[in-house]
Amino acid sequence: MLVLHARAGETREPPQDLGAAALAPDVIWIDLLQPSAEERAFVERATGLKLPDFADLSEIESSSRLRTEQGALYLSAPLVYRVDVDDPHTTPVGFIVTPERLITIRFETPTSFITAGQSAYAGACEAFVGLLEAIVDRIADILERIAAELDTVSHRLFRSGAETGRKRRPARADADLRVILRRVGRSGDLASKIRDSLLAIARIVPYVESNGAAWLPTEATSRLQTLRQDIYSLSQYDEHLTNKLQLLLDATLGLINIDQNNIIKVLTVVSVVGVPPTLVASMYGMNFHNMPELAWSWGYPYALALIALSAVAPLLWFRWRGWF
């Protein structure tokens, strides 16, 4: 799919014959979504620039993500998408920036591209800066969403039981801890993807400022400096969320261990309490001829009372020691 953005904010329809048509002079942003071979050939012929493919954009080396060829800046970054449907993924996105045009190559549709595509820009540099601002704004929204999710999990984990004053059934408490663990894990996975995007954008901004200083407009340079500060603050906030995620993860695992220890403690008490009655019953189950209790009228009630006493005595001892 080929989308052409003009200087006035209008969207131009791609030519019918890509093999012979030329690019309109007022097009400042060429947006390629899962481009076909014909669309790639048309853009390369019209701009004289070689477009990277999916494998090129997926490379993680800094020299592959940031480079200059033929006076154009080749940039790439992983961006998060599908956050609104709780199925976040990352997709590589490529940027080619020249004084005349901005070319983007992507294989999914992050929300920031939809937002940036609805604005009008004076030139390619302004379009590129506006796109970066939309990406950073989207990242900020996702971080706010993660923070709200962690606040909900924290309240449920640390305060909900203490406020109600009611004990939940072990099975219900175990199920709640599993749900909390999954929610913490999803938030941690999303925060990790956001960190990758922030790191890539944080490298792009100073690279563009340095290598495009000769043709960047003054206003675009000022906006890039502001953008750098925003990225730094978001990186700090993401680090704060990561620390909170680790706290919630450790607390959840700690509570799970406590519940498991309680189960083991109950099983241990039951096994210990059952030993003395078993000993008494086995002793009176011996088939010896000369047993004084065989001739007692109250021998059977006596044995039952002794068995009950031997079971109650360990329970009283455990209770006195405060072990349960």
Side-chain angles (χ1 to χ4, degrees):
M1 180 179 177
L2 177 62
V3 181
L4 306 176
H5 296 272
R7 195 179 304 274
E10 300 175 354
T11 301
R12 295 278 188 265
E13 290 294 333
Q16 296 293 331
D17 186 7
L18 295 179
L23 196 61
D26 62 340
V27 172
I28 60 173
W29 179 8
I30 304 172
D31 187 21
L32 294 165
L33 173 59
Q34 296 182 352
S36 63
E38 186 180 11
E39 292 171 340
R40 292 175 62 91
F42 166 71
V43 174
E44 288 180 347
R45 178 177 56 81
T47 62
L49 301 172
K50 186 179 184 304
L51 301 183
D53 55 17
F54 184 84
D56 296 331
L57 298 177
S58 300
E59 293 182 358
I60 62 175
E61 304 90 22
S62 180
S63 59
S64 299
R65 288 187 173 181
L66 307 172
R67 69 182 191 276
T68 303
E69 293 182 7
Q70 300 176 354
L73 305 182
Y74 283 75
L75 318 166
S76 64
L79 299 184
V80 180
Y81 70 101
R82 293 180 62 87
V83 177
D84 295 332
V85 295
D86 291 329
D87 187 23
H89 291 78
T90 57
T91 179
V93 176
F95 310 87
I96 303 177
V97 187
T98 68
E100 297 81 18
R101 289 189 179 90
L102 165 66
I103 304 173
T104 54
I105 306 100
R106 55 192 175 94
F107 303 90
E108 300 294 340
T109 307
T111 305
S112 53
F113 275 78
I114 300 176
T115 304
Q118 297 173 351
S119 303
Y121 304 102
C125 297
E126 289 78 4
F128 174 68
V129 175
L131 179 57
L132 287 185
E133 290 174 342
I135 292 173
V136 172
D137 288 342
R138 179 58 178 167
I139 289 176
D141 293 339
I142 298 174
L143 289 177
E144 291 174 0
R145 174 176 175 176
I146 296 175
E149 174 72 5
L150 294 184
D151 286 341
T152 302
V153 171
S154 178
H155 182 274
R156 184 173 179 179
L157 185 63
F158 293 121
R159 292 187 289 271
S160 59
E163 291 176 356
T164 58
R166 295 178 299 178
K167 290 186 177 180
R168 293 174 296 176
R169 294 182 178 180
R172 178 64 181 276
D174 184 63
D176 287 345
L177 289 175
R178 292 184 191 179
V179 172
I180 290 175
L181 190 60
R182 291 191 186 99
R183 293 174 66 175
V184 171
R186 285 196 299 267
S187 297
D189 179 61
L190 182 55
S192 176
K193 291 180 171 61
I194 290 297
R195 193 178 306 114
D196 291 340
S197 298
L198 279 174
L199 179 61
I201 301 299
R203 290 174 177 174
I204 285 176
V205 171
Y207 185 84
V208 172
E209 285 182 309
S210 176
N211 291 271
W215 41 267
L216 276 176
T218 304
E219 182 183 356
T221 303
S222 176
R223 291 167 62 185
L224 285 175
Q225 293 174 354
T226 303
L227 198 59
R228 183 192 295 189
Q229 296 174 359
D230 292 340
I231 294 171
Y232 176 76
S233 63
L234 290 179
S235 298
Q236 295 295 107
Y237 190 67
D238 182 77
E239 183 178 354
H240 161 70
L241 292 180
T242 301
N243 294 333
K244 189 171 184 178
L245 277 165
Q246 188 62 46
L247 169 65
L248 293 176
L249 180 61
D250 293 342
T252 304
L253 294 177
L255 291 176
I256 292 175
N257 289 333
I258 290 174
D259 287 346
Q260 292 177 343
N261 291 337
N262 288 336
I263 294 174
I264 295 175
K265 182 171 65 175
V266 170
L267 294 177
T268 303
V269 169
V270 170
S271 61
V272 172
V273 167
V275 170
T278 303
L279 177 62
V280 175
S282 61
M283 182 179 63
Y284 283 105
M286 291 187 251
N287 295 320
F288 292 115
H289 179 70
N290 295 321
M291 292 184 66
E293 291 84 357
L294 292 177
W296 291 2
S297 301
W298 295 91
Y300 179 66
Y302 167 78
L304 293 180
L306 190 58
I307 290 174
L309 180 61
S310 63
V312 172
L315 290 175
L316 295 177
W317 168 260
F318 290 145
R319 185 69 176 178
W320 178 70
R321 298 288 296 181
W323 291 348
F324 72 93

